[in-house]
Amino acid sequence: MTNFFESDLSEVDPIVREAIDNEVRRQADGLELIASENFVSEAVLQAMGSVFTNKYAEGYPRKRYYGGCEFADVVEQLAIDRAKEIFGAEHANVQPHSGSQANTAVYLSAIEHGAKILGMDLSHGGHLTHGHPLNFSGLSYDVASYGVSKEDERIDYDELQSIAEKERPKMIVCGASAYPRIIDFERIGEIARSVGAVVMADIAHIAGLVAAGLHPSPVEHCEFVTTTTHKTLRGPRGGLILCREDSKKTVDRNVFPGIQGGPLVHIIAAKAVAFGEALEEDFKIYQQQILDNARALADELRDQGLRLVSGGTDNHLVLVDVYMDGKGITGKKAEKVLDEVHLTVNKNTIPFDTQKPFVASGIRLGTPALTTRGMKQDEMRTVGKMIAEVVQDSDSEETKAKVSREVRELTAKFPMYPKRYKSGKTEGISAS
């Protein structure tokens, strides 16, 4: 009988082994342009796959409900300290399993059930947890919303002030999942204080840019800041809450035991590794390249005749109107045909969209993952040309075959995970 601790995935579960191999191959041989996705380092992968997955550690460092947590305390305290240093925050809770759970804990900490919140409309670039009627936020709170202006597709802060004065929310939620422009957290903080509200800034998409000082930080201006730890921050999938010292106990209590039991210690260890990477000087260089790449991609798409929401981008994200009042194709079709040539994007609504969300008029693009692979502006211009060519000639099999070849040629120049993917074959997944 095989030793349990020496079991090999290929023998134990070949179906899962094959799925992992295929996913490694898909990521390596395609161009990942989904703005909320990125690639973690080998070091982060190793921490995620460590024996910390075996450990229950309910509670917080030095205040656990179980024994044997001395090394769990090391990695969690390290993650906390590094997160505070990165963002200049008074307190950090690194236990949320996701960005949505981080937001849930803040709602519970900041306002009463049923209180009024003012969040950015999902169709204008917000997030489900900012008050969508089908989400817990919309089901649990009285929601008012704000969005972008029709004229320039940017947040109108004067209009936001007017809405806040009319609605008198207890909390303003800012941050976005599909907004390509700088967010003025200082102005939003001023608006909130003028109506007696607190602010939760959800920086899930731009956390890496904030960490590198390339986007204004909300920490000084907002009582609560939440983020995912993947996306531009380039860590494992998970959540993070930053708050002021006077909210520390309330936030911690509402994470555990409020909404979660035992933390995922292996993920917290991986967060600590990623936060350590974010404190290195080359992380700032990487984040600047994300911005440079996004602008190069946006410029090329515009030059190729596609319409960009708000006219361009200030961050990692480009929102493209591919429908163009019926002259183009839907976001749903664009996502499908681009996927056929190994250009991975997601359909996305655009402000004042006339299409249903599952059809949509736009696609959302982002540059973090391709930047992680080492691509720069020249490659972004090439990618922009390929996207436009497929979108504008979406029924041509000849065009799709041509672009598919070009994608494979480009990806071959920027290999991923060399220890795991060699000459078209995936290697072992266990940490060495």
Side-chain angles (χ1 to χ4, degrees), residues 4 18-19 83 116 146 167-168 272 278 356:
F4 176 79
E18 183 180 16
K116 179 165 284 188
Y146 65 94
E167 299 292 344
R168 313 300 296 189
K356 295 179 180 179

Side-chain angles (χ1 to χ4, degrees), residues 61-302:
R62 298 174 300 283
K63 294 181 180 179
R64 305 288 188 182
Y65 286 82
Y66 293 166
C69 292
E70 58 268 34
F71 303 117
D73 284 359
V74 171
V75 294
E76 182 166 351
Q77 191 60 56
L78 189 61
I80 290 168
D81 293 343
R82 287 175 175 174
K84 289 165 61 177
E85 182 178 355
I86 288 168
F87 294 103
E90 294 177 7
H91 178 63
N93 188 302
V94 300
Q95 291 194 7
H97 301 335
S98 69
S100 292
Q101 285 180 288
N103 289 352
T104 303
V106 169
Y107 282 122
L108 291 172
S109 301
I111 55 177
E112 297 294 324
H113 185 273
K116 179 165 284 188
I117 63 173
L118 176 57
M120 190 172 189
D121 192 301
L122 178 65
S123 66
H124 284 220
H127 188 259
L128 283 168
T129 57
H130 299 179
H132 191 277
L134 297 179
N135 182 260
F136 83 90
S137 55
L139 295 169
S140 303
Y141 301 96
D142 182 13
V143 179
S145 63
Y146 65 94
V148 301
S149 70
K150 269 195 170 182
E151 287 71 27
D152 62 4
E153 297 174 306
R154 303 185 189 211
I155 296 171
D156 183 333
Y157 293 97
D158 292 334
E159 178 67 14
L160 176 54
Q161 176 82 56
S162 297
I163 296 171
E165 290 173 355
K166 176 185 176 183
E167 299 292 344
R168 313 300 296 189
K170 293 296 183 182
M171 183 164 74
I172 295 178
V173 183
C174 58
S177 65
Y179 184 68
R181 295 299 182 176
I182 294 290
I183 297 173
D184 190 343
F185 294 118
E186 182 176 5
R187 179 72 189 280
I188 292 172
E190 292 170 353
I191 293 169
R193 287 189 291 276
S194 76
V195 297
V198 297
V199 185
M200 178 178 77
D202 180 346
I203 61 169
H205 266 268
I206 57 172
L209 301 173
V210 172
L214 297 173
H215 187 290
S217 171
V219 171
E220 179 184 350
H221 310 291
C222 306
E223 288 82 356
F224 303 93
V225 177
T226 64
T227 182
T228 53
T229 47
H230 43 289
K231 303 186 177 79
T232 53
L233 201 50
R234 203 165 58 173
R237 299 187 66 84
L240 169 68
I241 301 171
L242 307 171
C243 68
R244 295 168 184 173
E245 188 67 27
D246 59 7
S247 297
K248 171 182 176 179
K249 290 183 179 179
T250 304
V251 166
D252 286 356
R253 184 175 63 248
N254 280 308
V255 173
F256 172 81
I259 61 170
Q260 295 181 178
L264 307 178
V265 183
H266 59 302
I267 299 300
I268 290 174
K271 290 176 184 179
V273 174
F275 296 162
E277 293 172 348
L279 287 167
E280 297 295 328
E281 190 61 33
D282 61 1
F283 186 77
K284 295 179 181 178
I285 298 171
Y286 163 67
Q287 294 293 329
Q288 182 61 59
Q289 191 63 57
I290 286 175
L291 291 180
D292 294 343
N293 283 353
R295 289 163 187 161
L297 177 62
D299 289 347
E300 187 61 42
L301 291 166
R302 190 190 306 109

Side-chain angles (χ1 to χ4, degrees), residues 337-398:
V337 294
L338 288 168
D339 193 55
E340 289 173 10
V341 300
H342 312 292
L343 288 163
T344 308
V345 308
N346 66 273
K347 59 183 174 293
N348 212 96
T349 56
I350 63 173
F352 311 103
D353 208 328
T354 57
Q355 301 290 333
K356 295 179 180 179
F358 276 101
V359 177
S361 293
I363 55 173
R364 186 184 65 163
L365 310 174
T367 56
L370 297 190
T371 306
T372 295
R373 291 186 75 156
M375 298 184 193
K376 295 185 178 180
Q377 292 95 315
D378 285 346
E379 287 78 30
M380 292 305 103
R381 285 186 278 270
T382 297
V383 170
K385 289 184 176 71
M386 290 192 289
I387 291 171
E389 192 170 358
V390 173
V391 167
Q392 293 168 345
D393 198 11
S394 59
D395 293 325
S396 170
E397 295 303 320
E398 182 180 349

